[in-house]
Every structure is written in structure tokens, then in C-alpha cells.
Amino acid sequence: MSQPGQWQVAGSAPEVYERELVPAVFGEWAPIVVELAHPRPGERVVDVACGTGIVARIAAARFGPTGVVVGIDLNPGMLSVARSVMLTDSRSAAPIQWQEASADKLPFPGESFDIVYCQLGLQFFADRPAALREMRRVLGPEGRLALMVWRGIHESPGFAVLAASLEEHVGQAAAAIMRAPFGLSNAEELAGLVRAAGFRDVAIQQRVGTVRFASLDRFVLSYVAGSPLAGLVSQANDAARGALITDARNALAQYATNTELAFPIAAHLLSARV
């Protein structure tokens, strides 16, 4: 059983997201997404649904001081954390502009960018076709799109276990939040959406990566605290919260060692041209 104090994670969800979830879940994918568009120094880039900015920061280093990098997100808390993270060598990187905006109403003229990136954002958009049309609109004549979405939750045992445990002990709303990141797992549906927005040469790669946390307990605590699950789980009783950790320990023991928890996760990596 967990102790109540374990659930009092310091900092806001965006800060936990950057500190805990980016290195554990998202960080290894960001360079892959950036290279998916075959970037060239000096190009203009927008990172849609940038979160705390991992893709934008890697792009800024990749494109050099003559490039232009813009990160947009609807969540001001995520953008606040993004602004606070310093680049390792800002002198050799493109400057990054952070802007609060909706993906389906990008605040830029047509043909403003050479590349649009979107890492794990498209599945959350209320109007996916409109967002993709906006991505197409802001790209120039040789513009490229590079985006990533997760494949099915059944291909990521840690999150599948957590979703089932949340449904049993916290409720369907919490389970739905956990399953939402995997809501665009069908490759044909994904490719069809992108083609319908006016893109061509749509290609999808399937790739498997690894989620890594320091321990089973850290996985549950950090993912809850750094995601929209935090509010719902905080309202559950101690027994329910403790059961989330107990279930993870029982179901994921094969993925745990004395030093870490590591389990697979699968993604679709899509590239396209205007």
C-alpha cells in the first residue's frame, strides 16, 4: 500500500511533465521526429502542440542560428515551462518563439514555414482535419510534415495495465484519459486524414521504443502527477491510489529490475510533403 505523502508531488503538472515524463517517455523520440523531415540549416519550423518544447529545442539546435523555430501550444503552463528550459548552447541554435495558439487556427500567414512538426498532438485535437489543413496552409511550396502518434495501447503493457487499474479503482473518466494518447492508432485512418488535408507522398514508419522509469512506483506516481490524471486520482481514496501501485507491481514485474522499469511502446512516424 502506498503512503498518502507519495502522491504529493512537488510542482505543477507541466513541471512534472518536463522533469519526469519527457526523459522517461518522449525524449528518445524527439530527435527521430526532427530527422523525419530531412531538415536543412536555416529552415523555418513550427512545432504544433509543442508541450514543454523538447522537439522545438532539438530542432533549434539542428537548424542553427539562421533558422526560425516556433513552438505553439494551447496550455500556458506548458509554454511557461518551455520558456524556462535553457538550451545547452544557445549561441549555435536557432532562437525559439513560444506562442499560445490552437492547432486548428494557426496565427501565421500562408507559406510561413518549411517544416511542421507535431509529436503526439494530433490524437488529442478536437478537429483533426482542420488542424491538418492549417498545417498544410502554413507550409511553403517545398514544405514537409513530420508527425508521430502512438499505436495501440495493447502494444505498451505499462500503460495498458495502468488504464485497466484506473478503470477499476478510480473510474471510467480516468481510464479514458489514459487511453486517449492511443486514440489514433490505425495507420490507414492516420494516412487518410493527412492525404485529405492536401498532403502527398504520405509515408508511415512503424517503430518500437522503450519507456523507462526509475521504478514501478515512480512510473505510476510520475505519470499521474504529470498528466490530466492528477485531479481525478487526487480525489480518490488512499486505498484506490495504493491499488494503482499494487496492480503495477503485480502485472509489470517482468519489466522491472533493481534499477529501473522498462517496457515497450510502439509508434507511427508519418512524413509527407505539400
Side-chain angles (χ1 to χ4, degrees):
M1 185 68 67
S2 69
Q3 296 299 315
Q6 284 185 283
W7 295 92
Q8 305 305 314
V9 179
S12 67
E15 290 164 344
V16 176
Y17 180 98
E18 172 63 26
R19 184 179 66 247
E20 304 277 351
L21 303 191
V22 167
V25 184
F26 311 115
E28 77 166 271
W29 297 94
I32 298 170
V33 172
V34 170
E35 293 302 320
L36 194 62
H38 304 292
R40 299 185 288 266
E43 291 193 301
R44 304 162 298 164
V45 180
V46 61
D47 180 14
V48 177
C50 65
T52 56
I54 181 62
V55 168
R57 291 194 297 272
I58 290 174
R62 179 68 171 77
F63 286 90
T66 60
V68 174
V69 178
V70 181
I72 71 154
D73 201 281
L74 262 184
N75 188 316
M78 289 288 197
L79 292 172
S80 178
V81 172
R83 293 186 182 100
S84 74
V85 179
M86 300 298 294
L87 293 173
T88 303
D89 187 357
S90 59
R91 293 171 300 177
S92 63
I96 306 176
Q97 305 168 37
W98 305 105
Q99 190 165 344
E100 186 176 341
S102 173
D104 59 8
K105 294 180 181 177
L106 296 178
F108 311 111
E111 302 187 7
S112 294
F113 298 99
D114 302 298
I115 297 175
V116 171
Y117 290 119
C118 186
Q119 183 190 32
L120 299 169
L122 184 61
Q123 63 266 50
F124 295 112
F125 298 157
D127 192 338
R128 295 166 182 167
L132 286 163
R133 288 195 298 270
E134 279 291 272
M135 295 178 197
R136 171 66 179 81
R137 180 184 65 81
V138 300
L139 282 171
E142 297 183 6
R144 288 97 73 204
L145 170 68
L147 65 83
M148 170 186 170
V149 297
W150 297 130
R151 282 156 58 182
I153 195 171
H154 64 281
E155 297 183 77
S156 185
F159 291 122
V161 166
L162 185 54
S165 186
L166 285 162
E167 184 163 11
E168 180 178 356
H169 302 294
V170 181
Q172 291 185 354
I177 289 172
M178 183 63 262
R179 294 184 177 115
F182 303 87
L184 192 52
S185 60
N186 184 290
E188 292 183 4
E189 178 187 2
L190 175 62
L193 283 168
V194 173
R195 290 191 185 99
F199 287 95
R200 60 184 178 86
D201 297 337
V202 177
I204 297 178
Q205 305 174 28
Q206 297 186 344
R207 187 158 177 166
V208 177
T210 305
V211 174
R212 298 183 187 277
F213 283 89
S215 67
L216 280 157
D217 290 18
R218 197 73 248 154
F219 160 56
V220 177
L221 293 166
S222 296
Y223 196 83
V224 167
S227 75
L229 289 166
L232 288 173
V233 174
S234 70
Q235 296 169 18
N237 59 39
D238 290 345
R241 293 196 294 262
L244 297 179
I245 292 177
T246 300
D247 287 354
R249 288 174 181 164
N250 292 337
L252 300 175
Q254 63 179 305
Y255 300 104
T257 67
N258 291 332
T259 58
E260 71 171 358
L261 170 72
F263 59 84
I265 192 165
H268 292 306
L269 297 163
L270 182 144
S271 61
R273 296 180 174 274
V274 300

